[in-house]
Amino acid sequence: MKKMGILFTIFVVFSFFVIANKQVKVEKKIETVKKKEQEEMRALFVSYMELNTYIQDKTEEKSKENIENIIKNTKKKRMNTIILQVRSFDDAIYKSKDFKVSKSIILQDNTHYDVLDYFIKVCQKENMDLYLWVNPFRITRRKEEIEKDSFAYSYKDSDVVKKIEDIYYYNPASSIVQKHIIEGIKELIQNYKCKGILFDDYFYPDKDIDKKEYEEYKKEDEKITQEEYHLKIVSELIENVYKEIKKINKKVEFGISPDGNIENNYNKNFADVKLWAKSDKYIDFLMPQLYYGFTNQARPFYDTLKEWNAIVKNKKIKLYYALAFYKIGLEDQYAKEGREEWIKQNDIIKRQIILSRNAPNYHGFSLFRYDNLFNETYYTENTLKELENLEGILKMGNK
């Protein structure tokens, strides 16, 4: 009997470990499945150019129908995010106390409605994420004058506003400008539900726009170069915007879509992307504009992708990649020997997404822009094949 008892005990213990081991394997399998099922960002830029086409000079009924179509069309392509340009020229497509109404949403009868609010309602209905895209410093279109109802009008002849190559810009170093931008973001977060805020890559339009402020600052720090001062000014703005967003709603993401050429961010736009990518007080994500082909002689796609992955030292920061759907079928003028790649190849976007998915910090992509996917007047000979390839890899998921 003792022998039988011992054998029974051994059997029970052995069975327990077998079952426990199976349970661990099952749990690991479930976790793996869950991880695979986590959706990448699959986004589409909707710019003021789309608003000009589908809202401006339309009836309210037709414009709302067009908004619904924009979101439904995007969803049908198995995409899950809209990046909507809500402020493009110191204006707003929503109700604002500081920003004038955007021309892009003025209807046929010279009225307007809260276009952002309608986008939000339709996105919620269709279970789509919405990011609000802001251009912080640009005031006007080319050869356009500042309107009297603009915040910038009273500063037109001061150091706050400068005209550069027929376009008016805010001076980034102006405390008035910094406050104006921060208050504008606070207004958005307080009044509208969104997944995140995105700043474009237009920071410094000119190296001498803040010459007066720079010379004044040098009295405190004689060794600081003009370039270092520019980087400092932009980073201070980004840090303060991030701080204010998190005070209001910690869940709202904040990020930048910088120039894909890292060097340009330092010698032209003065965006200190390396600093932001290693810290936890500036951004939640970066969306570099990787608008290059694989054979681009100056900036080949694969090498540029690796460069961006290498600078992200803070693993909490997500990398989304902006891809150039707008180049499909066209000559790439700055690619040198690779200038005909987008004409000769019809699977570039597909290959770029597949390659990006293997990058360590990858969390998704965004295509520039809506009309290039859905407006046939923008189609080239390669567009339909690229769309077919895109649909194929999005059906496959994140594999």
Side-chain angles (χ1 to χ4, degrees):
M1 290 297 289
K2 281 184 179 180
K3 210 172 194 180
M4 288 293 292
I6 291 168
L7 288 171
F8 178 74
T9 302
I10 292 170
F11 172 76
V12 170
V13 172
F14 176 75
S15 299
F16 172 78
F17 281 112
V18 169
I19 293 168
N21 190 42
K22 283 183 178 179
Q23 182 66 24
V24 169
K25 286 182 178 179
V26 168
E27 286 176 357
K28 283 183 178 178
K29 190 174 182 181
I30 290 171
E31 285 302 313
T32 303
V33 171
K34 281 183 179 178
K35 193 171 182 181
K36 283 185 178 179
E37 288 179 350
Q38 287 177 351
E39 281 194 327
E40 65 192 347
M41 174 196 273
R42 301 172 175 182
L44 196 55
F45 286 102
V46 176
S47 74
Y48 77 91
M49 291 175 278
E50 274 81 19
L51 302 181
N52 289 345
T53 300
Y54 300 106
I55 295 175
Q56 191 179 54
D57 293 330
K58 303 292 186 293
T59 64
E60 182 172 338
E61 182 182 9
K62 182 61 179 176
S63 70
K64 287 183 174 178
E65 180 186 325
N66 287 342
I67 290 171
E68 291 167 14
N69 287 336
I70 286 171
I71 295 165
K72 288 177 181 177
N73 286 342
T74 305
K75 185 176 181 178
K76 283 178 184 176
K77 290 294 180 188
R78 299 177 182 271
M79 303 181 82
N80 55 33
T81 304
I82 297 285
I83 299 177
L84 176 64
Q85 194 165 30
V86 298
R87 290 217 317 264
S88 50
F89 299 97
D90 199 42
D91 52 12
I93 67 167
Y94 54 91
K95 289 181 181 178
S96 174
K97 69 180 190 301
D98 290 328
F99 295 88
K100 68 182 180 70
V101 177
S102 170
K103 290 179 181 178
S104 299
I105 66 166
I106 301 298
L107 301 174
Q108 198 175 75
D109 58 359
N110 207 35
T111 64
H112 66 275
Y113 63 95
D114 192 330
V115 169
L116 173 55
D117 182 65
Y118 199 71
F119 261 97
I120 289 170
K121 286 176 180 175
V122 181
C123 280
Q124 288 175 339
K125 183 181 176 183
E126 297 295 333
N127 195 29
M128 296 280 285
D129 287 335
L130 182 66
Y131 284 73
L132 310 184
W133 166 19
V134 170
N135 193 310
F137 294 116
R138 187 175 61 188
I139 300 172
T140 65
R141 295 168 174 83
R142 191 173 297 280
K143 295 183 179 180
E144 183 179 64
E145 287 300 312
I146 300 174
E147 297 181 10
K148 289 184 179 180
D149 60 346
S150 170
F151 177 86
Y153 186 78
S154 59
Y155 300 101
K156 186 177 177 182
D157 299 316
S158 71
D159 293 319
V160 175
V161 173
K162 296 287 178 72
K163 190 175 185 179
I164 301 164
E165 295 181 1
D166 293 326
I167 298 175
Y168 284 97
Y169 294 93
Y170 280 120
N171 174 1
S174 165
S175 58
I176 293 170
V177 171
Q178 295 252 340
K179 183 180 178 183
H180 178 55
I181 293 168
I182 292 167
E183 289 300 315
I185 298 301
K186 286 167 64 178
E187 181 182 55
L188 270 175
I189 301 299
Q190 288 166 345
N191 298 332
Y192 297 93
K193 289 184 178 179
C194 65
K195 179 78 172 179
I197 300 287
L198 175 72
F199 274 11
D200 213 332
D201 63 329
Y202 296 107
F203 291 113
Y204 265 79
D206 173 79
K207 289 185 177 182
D208 292 321
I209 192 171
D210 61 353
K211 191 173 182 179
K212 181 181 176 181
E213 287 81 3
Y214 169 60
E215 293 299 332
E216 189 66 27
Y217 189 80
K218 277 184 73 177
K219 294 176 184 177
E220 299 177 27
D221 184 356
E222 293 180 2
K223 294 181 179 180
I224 192 168
T225 65
Q226 193 174 21
E227 289 75 17
E228 289 169 342
Y229 178 71
H230 292 159
L231 291 168
K232 175 181 178 296
I233 289 297
V234 174
S235 289
E236 283 178 355
L237 173 66
I238 300 305
E239 181 179 1
N240 288 328
V241 168
Y242 182 82
K243 195 181 299 180
E244 292 301 325
I245 289 174
K246 298 306 176 182
K247 278 183 188 176
I248 299 166
N249 189 341
K250 290 182 179 179
K251 292 183 180 179
V252 174
E253 295 182 356
F254 176 53
I256 315 292
S257 184
D259 192 315
N261 184 334
I262 293 176
E263 291 176 9
N264 284 349
N265 290 300
Y266 284 90
N267 56 35
K268 183 180 176 184
N269 301 319
F270 302 102
D272 198 346
V273 292
K274 293 178 183 177
L275 172 65
W276 305 342
K278 69 181 181 182
S279 176
D280 59 1
K281 64 179 185 177
Y282 295 100
I283 55 171
D284 297 300
F285 67 89
L286 283 169
M287 187 181 286
Q289 298 170 26
L290 301 192
Y291 296 161
Y292 315 109
F294 290 97
T295 60
N296 184 305
Q297 194 174 344
R299 305 294 310 172
F301 180 83
Y302 181 61
D303 291 346
T304 309
L305 178 76
K306 288 193 294 183
E307 285 178 9
W308 279 99
N309 267 279
I311 73 164
V312 179
K313 306 300 182 184
N314 181 350
K315 299 307 176 183
K316 291 180 182 178
I317 291 173
K318 299 175 183 176
L319 268 178
Y320 304 122
Y321 296 106
L323 305 177
F325 205 93
Y326 72 96
K327 284 190 175 181
I328 288 169
L330 303 177
E331 183 181 289
D332 193 354
Q333 296 179 1
Y334 302 104
K336 297 182 181 178
E337 291 181 7
R339 61 192 302 144
E340 292 190 357
E341 179 183 4
W342 296 86
I343 297 171
K344 294 178 178 178
Q345 305 293 326
N346 57 23
D347 63 349
I348 295 175
I349 296 297
K350 168 188 170 181
R351 288 188 286 132
Q352 288 185 343
I353 293 173
I354 291 171
L355 193 61
S356 300
R357 282 174 172 171
N358 291 312
N361 298 307
Y362 170 84
H363 283 80
F365 67 88
S366 185
L367 304 179
F368 191 87
R369 58 186 172 89
Y370 176 86
D371 264 347
N372 296 98
L373 276 78
F374 295 103
N375 188 336
E376 291 186 7
T377 60
Y378 288 84
Y379 281 15
T380 66
E381 289 184 9
N382 293 350
T383 301
L384 291 177
K385 186 61 180 175
E386 285 276 8
L387 284 171
E388 183 185 326
N389 289 330
L390 177 66
E391 188 173 352
I393 60 166
L394 295 189
K395 277 183 181 179
M396 291 167 59
N398 297 355
K399 295 177 183 177

